[in-house]
Amino acid sequence: MMIHIDGSYGEGGGQVLRTSLSLAAITGNPISIYNIRAGRKNPGLAAQHLTGVRATATICDAEVRGDTLGSMMLEFIPGGAVKAGNYTFDVTQARQGGSAGAITLVLQTILLPLALATGDSQVTLKGGTHVPFSPPMTYIEQVYLPTLKQMGVEVEVKLNSWGWYPQGGGVVELLVSGGRKLAGVHLGERGDLQQVRGLAIATELPSHIPQRMASRAENLLTEAGFKHAIKPVREKGVAPGTGLFLTAEYENSLAGFSALGRLGLPAEKVAQMACEELLKFHQTGAVVDEHLADQLLLPAALASEKSEYHVAEVSTHLTTNAWVIEQFGLARVTVDEGEKLVTVKPLISFPFEH
C-alpha cells in the first residue's frame, strides 16, 4: 500500500525525504512524496537528495518517478529486499558542472537499510565531506557511528579525500556489516566530561591556519577548565578548505561541534565559533546534542526494544523526523518538551520478511 507523505510538513527540509527513502527500502513500502523541501529557498531535489534517491533505488531495485533536479514530487516503489553489494555513488554526477552536495546525507539514507540487509557491503561515496548545513564527515566518524555502534551497527569508515564547498571532490569508503539486529539506546545521564578531542584541519592552505585555530581553541577550552587534545593537521585536498571539529567525550555519551572556515573569516574566529557551541551545549547538562537527537530516531525505531534519551533541544528537525517515522507505523515516538526526553517504542521487530 502506497504511503503518501507531505514533504512540507514541519521543518519541510530534506530529512523528510531521507527518512522516507530509508524506511521504504527497509519495509518494502512504496511511497509518494509531494511538496519536497517546500520549506527551502530552492525547493525540490538538489544534487545530494537526487543522489540519495538513486542510491536507495539501486540497493532495493526500486522503480522511481520524479527523480530529476528540482522535482518536488517523487514516487518510489521498491522492487525487492535491500541487496548487500559493492556500490559507488557520486554526488557530482547529479548535476552538470559537478556539486559539493553532502555525501554524509547520502550515507545516512542508505546506512541502516544496508546494516539490516543480509551480507556485507562496500560503499564508495564521492562529493562534499565537510559542507555547510549538513553533518561533517568528522562528526559522522566521531559521534554518529560510535553511538550507533552501541546499538549494534558495525561500520568501518575511511576518509580518503576532503571535499569542501563549492568544489566537493571528497571520497569516503564504508564497509557495512549486514544482518545486524539493533538494540535500543538509553542515554539518561552523560556523566563527567572526560576530554574534548579536536581536529583543526586545512587543505591546500598554509600550516599556520590550523595552528592558529588549534591555539585559540586550546586557550578557550583551558579557560573553561576542560581537558583537551587538539590536533592541527594539514591534508591534501582538491581545493582549499579549513575547519575545526570538536568531540566532547562524556562518561556515557559523545557530542560534536564544528565550524567551517571561509574567505575573510579569521582562523581564530572559526575556533571561537566551534568552542562557543560546545560550551553552550555543556551548560545545558543534556546528554545528546541537537543533531544526534534527530539522527538517533531512525535506528531507535528499528531496534528490538524501547529507547530513551535526553536532548539539548527539541528542534523541528526532531519533531518532523518523528512524524515521518510514525507514517510507517513502525514506532511510537513521544517527545516530552519540558523534560527534553525522547522515547521511542518500536511496534514491529526487524528484520522481517517483506
Side-chain angles (χ1 to χ4, degrees):
M1 184 153 114
M2 181 82 74
I3 296 175
H4 297 273
I5 291 162
D6 182 355
S8 71
Y9 180 88
E11 184 252 346
Q15 184 73 60
V16 176
L17 172 76
R18 288 188 291 277
T19 299
S20 300
L21 288 170
S22 298
L23 290 176
I26 289 165
T27 61
N29 273 324
I31 55 170
S32 157
I33 312 180
Y34 51 98
N35 296 333
I36 293 171
R37 295 179 69 248
R40 293 293 181 258
K41 195 170 68 185
N42 303 312
L45 298 174
Q48 71 263 31
H49 308 106
L50 189 53
T51 308
V53 169
R54 290 176 179 165
T56 316
T58 301
I59 64 173
C60 68
D61 283 334
E63 191 186 312
V64 186
R65 277 190 286 280
D67 56 334
T68 53
L69 280 176
S71 170
M72 291 183 70
M73 197 296 285
L74 185 79
E75 256 188 28
F76 186 96
I77 303 162
V82 174
K83 295 190 312 294
N86 198 333
Y87 299 108
T88 299
F89 302 117
D90 188 348
V91 179
T92 51
Q93 289 177 351
R95 192 175 68 202
Q96 234 179 337
S99 163
I103 57 182
T104 52
L105 298 175
V106 180
L107 181 155
Q108 289 186 326
T109 309
I110 59 173
L111 176 61
L112 291 165
L114 290 173
L116 293 171
T118 307
D120 300 345
S121 295
Q122 209 169 345
V123 184
T124 303
L125 297 170
K126 298 177 180 182
T129 58
H130 297 76
V131 295
F133 310 114
S134 57
M137 196 58 214
T138 308
Y139 182 89
I140 298 288
E141 289 179 279
Q142 305 272 342
V143 179
Y144 176 70
L145 292 178
T147 307
L148 257 57
K149 190 172 183 164
Q150 294 174 27
M151 302 176 77
V153 178
E154 288 287 340
V155 187
E156 279 175 46
V157 65
K158 197 162 152 225
L159 174 60
N160 291 339
S161 175
W162 293 71
W164 311 92
Y165 180 82
Q167 293 90 344
V171 181
V172 169
E173 279 181 46
L174 300 175
L175 214 54
V176 185
S177 301
R180 311 306 297 180
K181 279 190 167 55
L182 304 193
V185 68
H186 296 274
L187 297 168
E189 296 285 329
R190 70 187 185 191
D192 293 335
L193 179 63
Q194 310 284 301
Q195 71 158 346
V196 177
R197 260 186 306 136
L199 190 61
I201 179 89
T203 61
E204 310 307 310
L205 287 168
S207 57
H208 68 80
I209 291 176
Q211 197 63 62
R212 282 162 50 205
M213 281 194 296
S215 301
R216 180 74 179 124
E218 283 168 341
N219 290 343
L220 290 167
L221 296 169
T222 301
E223 269 172 41
F226 296 166
K227 198 176 148 193
H228 53 73
I230 313 289
K231 199 170 157 193
V233 180
R234 252 183 105 197
E235 288 272 3
K236 279 198 169 10
V238 294
T242 178
L244 178 70
F245 306 95
L246 301 172
T247 303
E249 298 181 347
Y250 293 94
E251 275 177 81
N252 307 318
S253 65
L254 297 162
F257 311 91
S258 61
L260 297 172
R262 59 176 187 272
L263 218 54
L265 189 67
E268 292 77 9
K269 182 67 180 155
V270 176
Q272 194 179 327
M273 285 157 64
C275 290
E276 279 172 1
E277 223 184 285
L278 187 155
L279 292 166
K280 195 174 133 197
F281 169 79
H282 184 74
Q283 282 157 6
T284 65
V287 189
V288 174
D289 70 54
E290 187 191 333
H291 306 292
L292 193 61
D294 73 270
Q295 293 168 9
L296 283 180
L297 284 178
L298 189 55
L302 300 167
S304 53
E305 69 242 335
K306 186 173 92 166
S307 292
E308 271 190 338
Y309 53 92
H310 279 281
V311 301
E313 201 176 315
V314 176
S315 66
T316 49
H317 254 285
L318 174 71
T319 51
T320 303
N321 209 12
W323 174 81
V324 177
I325 286 165
E326 293 199 319
Q327 304 312 297
F328 285 80
L330 296 184
R332 188 162 294 120
V333 183
T334 44
V335 181
D336 182 329
E337 300 234 4
E339 292 287 316
K340 297 203 163 90
L341 180 69
V342 176
T343 308
V344 185
K345 285 187 184 156
L347 303 173
I348 291 169
S349 67
F350 286 89
F352 67 89
E353 295 306 313
H354 291 170

